[in-house]
Amino acid sequence: YVELHFNERGRICAAKALTFGLDKSRLSRLSQEERTFHVFYQLLTGCTSDERDRLGLEDMSDYALLASSGCYRLPSGPFSDDAAAMTELRAAMRTLGFKAKHVTSIFSTLVAILLLGNLEFVEGVSREDTAHVSITVVLDQVARLLGVSSEDLAQALTIKTSYVRKELYTVLLNPEQSALQRDQLVRDLYAILFAFVVETANHKLAPSSSEAPPPTQIVLLDQPGYQSR
């Protein structure tokens, strides 16, 4: 949801964005010939060689989320060049006041989300044991990108804790339940990242609360829709 504010002379004087209807299901379920959020493809296509090495980036087909639909590129058209879109994204982030460390953290989180989708789980040694991550190398890479320990991340994925009537309960998860918890973590990470980007942009663009309402404004509502047409 985007507001464009205009002054008395008809010039844009401010803008404000609000998150509306973020379709987080795109992070765990895709239809055939459909892409998830464009930024993943833009990053993998338009990254620098330094970013590719530092983030350990692979081909699109190596990430389960992107490979689940088999659709990696948009049909030819003015917005189909992901590398060009990545260049525009970098320029926009600089204009909106994102510092280099913020951009690095955003890209690291995006890669961590992709790698989380590659994690698979196997049964524990006994009934009293939780499920285990089958590929620890990927787990270690995700943990490094998120700035947490591998042990803490594995525990967050395979153990569920909740408060019931002021009592703390811990549930040991099987592989299927761990996969669901992984998908929930992916959706929550993206939602938090999305909120951070929007609020950082608003800090640069939005008017202060003490300013009078604009004489004129245009509202644009971009609803979730098919992402390859």
Side-chain angles (χ1 to χ4, degrees):
Y1 173 93
V2 179
E3 293 179 2
L4 300 178
H5 296 185
F6 296 83
N7 60 20
E8 295 84 352
R9 300 178 60 188
R11 297 182 180 275
I12 293 179
C13 58
K16 181 170 64 176
L18 299 173
T19 303
F20 180 88
L22 180 62
D23 188 2
K24 294 185 288 185
S25 68
R26 293 189 182 281
L27 294 159
S28 55
R29 184 180 67 255
L30 290 175
S31 302
Q32 286 296 318
E33 299 183 359
E34 184 182 25
R35 305 207 313 180
T36 182
F37 295 103
H38 298 310
V39 69
F40 294 107
Y41 308 91
Q42 293 167 1
L43 174 60
L44 293 174
T45 304
C47 64
T48 64
S49 56
D50 177 67
E51 288 170 337
R52 183 169 293 278
D53 293 338
R54 177 167 47 81
L55 297 173
L57 299 180
E58 305 289 346
D59 293 332
M60 294 183 190
S61 58
D62 293 321
Y63 299 104
L65 171 61
L66 307 185
S68 62
S69 70
C71 179
Y72 303 115
R73 293 174 177 79
L74 293 173
S76 59
F79 305 108
S80 62
D81 189 336
D82 286 320
M86 186 64 181
T87 300
E88 294 177 357
L89 177 61
R90 293 182 195 274
M93 294 177 83
R94 286 194 298 270
T95 301
L96 290 170
F98 286 85
K99 298 179 181 178
K101 63 179 181 180
H102 294 156
V103 176
T104 298
S105 295
I106 289 170
F107 291 168
S108 296
T109 306
L110 290 173
V111 178
I113 288 172
L114 288 177
L115 288 171
L116 277 168
N118 286 358
L119 289 181
E120 297 180 353
F121 303 89
V122 294
E123 291 284 358
V125 178
S126 65
R127 290 185 178 180
E128 291 75 29
D129 197 8
T130 64
H132 294 291
V133 175
S134 59
I135 308 176
T136 57
V137 174
V138 178
L139 177 72
D140 294 340
Q141 191 176 357
V142 175
R144 177 180 62 81
L145 290 168
L146 294 178
V148 299
S149 70
S150 299
E151 293 76 14
D152 287 345
L153 179 58
Q155 189 173 33
L157 293 169
T158 59
I159 295 177
K160 187 172 185 177
T161 57
S162 58
Y163 282 98
V164 179
R165 296 179 181 178
K166 298 182 179 181
E167 294 289 338
L168 180 63
Y169 289 87
T170 300
V171 179
L172 306 182
L173 304 181
N174 60 32
E176 291 75 20
Q177 293 168 328
S178 296
L180 292 175
Q181 184 130 305
R182 172 205 62 201
D183 292 344
Q184 185 62 53
L185 175 60
V186 164
R187 291 191 290 268
D188 289 343
L189 274 176
Y190 191 83
I192 292 170
L193 179 62
F194 197 92
F196 169 75
V197 170
V198 170
E199 287 307 309
T200 303
N202 282 336
H203 182 74
K204 185 80 169 182
L205 299 175
S208 67
S209 56
S210 59
E211 294 183 31
T216 307
Q217 62 178 333
I218 294 177
V219 173
L220 307 173
L221 180 59
D222 183 14
Q223 292 182 303
Y226 204 84
Q227 293 297 304
S228 66
R229 294 181 179 173

